[in-house]
Amino acid sequence: RLGDGQAPIDGELCDDPAGIQQPAKTEYPGNSKESDTMTKPPSTLGVVIPVFNEQHNIAPVVARLRNVLDTLDVRWTVLFVDDGSTDGTVERLREANGADPRIFGLLLSRNFGKETALAAGLRACQGDAVIVMDGDLQHPPETIRAFYKAWRQGSEIVFGRRETTAHAGLRRRLASRAF
């Protein structure tokens, strides 16, 4: 259980007992498997963001997310999953949670890698729809509006891809082609 004050065990999810508030497990209409989420509007939208040493990005990400999410007709939460950061990321997450209780943090006991952090976030996140994005603003939060609209119109899975890399530097474009 997250937030129970026990010392972290390597490989398990944990948080600081005096730290970031964790989302309560709440059942909302439409969250059960028996409900028809294709015809009912979602009651909640979750955003999962794995982060590692992103102290300077937390405030800009939160500000842009709030600007977008507050325009949608849905209850929302944002779950940052800290993957063992050694900079001030955890402190920035605590500040964000203190300023807005819809912003949560899940702290991993050490660095497990982005995929594990993402899996932990998806497991802990609540919502009828969940959006995954990076914590460095490579995924523009403003695209959430279009994703949400497509989901409300009946799409079960919505994903995006970059249309152009013209703004990327030559080195990055060459590296992308080589990959």
Side-chain angles (χ1 to χ4, degrees), residues 69-91:
L69 295 171
D70 282 342
T71 66
L72 302 177
D73 184 27
V74 66
R75 288 178 283 180
W76 58 266
T77 60
V78 175
L79 178 61
F80 286 91
V81 182
D82 181 76
D83 192 20
S85 294
T86 57
D87 66 353
T89 298
V90 173
E91 289 76 19

Side-chain angles (χ1 to χ4, degrees), residues 23-46:
K25 293 287 184 190
T26 307
E27 287 299 320
Y28 296 107
N31 281 5
S32 69
K33 295 202 185 299
E34 295 81 32
S35 69
D36 182 4
T37 58
M38 295 290 290
T39 59
K40 294 180 183 178
S43 56
T44 58
L45 175 67

Side-chain angles (χ1 to χ4, degrees), residues 8 17 24 28 41 60 72 77 91 103 116 118 122 148 161 177:
Y28 296 107
L72 302 177
T77 60
E91 289 76 19
I103 310 292
T116 301
L118 182 57
L122 288 171
Y148 178 72
R161 67 177 174 91
R177 285 186 194 154

Side-chain angles (χ1 to χ4, degrees), residues 35-62:
S35 69
D36 182 4
T37 58
M38 295 290 290
T39 59
K40 294 180 183 178
S43 56
T44 58
L45 175 67
V47 180
V48 175
I49 306 172
V51 292
F52 177 71
N53 291 338
E54 298 281 355
Q55 71 177 349
H56 300 295
N57 289 333
I58 301 301
V61 168
V62 167

Side-chain angles (χ1 to χ4, degrees), residues 63-136:
R64 286 178 62 183
L65 280 169
R66 289 181 66 195
N67 285 338
V68 171
L69 295 171
D70 282 342
T71 66
L72 302 177
D73 184 27
V74 66
R75 288 178 283 180
W76 58 266
T77 60
V78 175
L79 178 61
F80 286 91
V81 182
D82 181 76
D83 192 20
S85 294
T86 57
D87 66 353
T89 298
V90 173
E91 289 76 19
R92 300 296 85 77
L93 293 176
R94 286 190 176 111
E95 291 168 3
N97 176 253
D100 189 334
R102 299 173 295 183
I103 310 292
F104 298 98
L106 177 63
L107 312 179
L108 303 186
S109 61
R110 65 175 177 85
N111 182 262
F112 289 94
K114 181 179 176 181
E115 290 76 18
T116 301
L118 182 57
L122 288 171
R123 184 173 184 194
C125 187
Q126 296 182 34
D128 296 306
V130 177
I131 294 173
V132 175
M133 60 181 287
D134 287 345
D136 57 6

Side-chain angles (χ1 to χ4, degrees), residues 129-179:
V130 177
I131 294 173
V132 175
M133 60 181 287
D134 287 345
D136 57 6
L137 291 172
Q138 287 197 32
H139 301 142
E142 293 75 18
T143 60
I144 291 174
R145 286 184 189 101
F147 290 179
Y148 178 72
K149 181 179 178 182
W151 189 82
R152 288 279 304 257
Q153 291 174 343
S155 297
E156 291 185 31
I157 298 173
V158 181
F159 66 93
R161 67 177 174 91
R162 184 174 293 147
E163 290 181 0
T164 179
T165 57
H167 68 281
L170 177 62
R171 182 187 303 178
R172 184 169 179 169
R173 287 185 302 220
L174 291 174
S176 292
R177 285 186 194 154
F179 182 70

